[in-house]
Amino acid sequence: MKRVAAFVLLILLAGAAPPPEGVLTVHVSNVRNAKGRVHVDVCPQAKFLKEDCPWSGVAPAQAGMTTVTVRGLPAGTYAVQAFHDANANGKVDRALFGIPKEGVGFSNDAPIRMAPPKWSAAVFAFDGRAQTIALKLRYFL
């Protein structure tokens, strides 16, 4: 009887465990050169296309492909926004009419057509376990 009670207690405690937090690896391709760094933000819908996404990662830029790792990401639904911070100033530099001067990209290679992509084009599910996604930077200038 004690074993059954202990087993039931163990199951109840396991069910109350917090959701796992994992690692998202982002392979960013089409990096123009090795200047600066590549910055990746992982955003819930409310923070998408804003500068204050709660999870981010940075890696030194490597021409061609740069891999950025984001740790401590809880399970959820997110979109990734990335940019090549060539001058390492921590922001996307913009030209006239807000056109990015540095390469930008989004999860699912969400299209950029005269405006930033929509959440529905960039969204993906993260189950809390290690996951890898890939995206391609686009340069407009």
Side-chain angles (χ1 to χ4, degrees):
M1 187 64 152
K2 287 183 182 181
R3 286 186 183 169
V4 173
F7 181 70
V8 170
L9 180 61
L10 182 62
I11 289 174
L12 290 174
L13 288 175
E21 291 187 354
V23 175
L24 178 67
T25 302
V26 184
H27 295 301
V28 181
S29 65
N30 198 39
V31 179
R32 185 177 279 171
N33 56 50
K35 294 179 182 175
R37 55 193 178 199
V38 174
H39 182 99
V40 169
D41 287 322
V42 182
C43 311
Q45 187 171 8
K47 299 287 186 174
F48 183 56
L49 300 176
K50 297 188 169 105
E51 295 182 10
D52 59 344
C53 292
W55 300 278
S56 62
V58 178
Q62 297 178 9
M65 173 84 69
T66 300
T67 300
V68 180
T69 304
V70 179
R71 300 183 187 285
L73 185 64
T77 304
Y78 302 104
V80 166
Q81 53 195 37
F83 69 98
H84 179 190
D85 188 9
N87 60 3
N89 68 350
K91 63 180 184 173
V92 178
D93 294 320
R94 298 187 182 277
L96 193 60
F97 304 115
I99 297 170
K101 290 182 175 181
E102 299 170 305
V104 296
F106 299 89
S107 45
N108 301 330
D109 284 326
I112 303 169
R113 294 188 183 107
M114 303 301 284
K118 298 194 180 310
W119 166 261
S120 60
V123 67
F124 68 97
F126 181 75
D127 66 7
R129 293 181 285 203
Q131 184 174 333
T132 300
I133 65 169
L135 61 87
K136 181 178 180 179
L137 291 182
R138 285 166 261 181
Y139 294 83
F140 298 97
L141 299 176

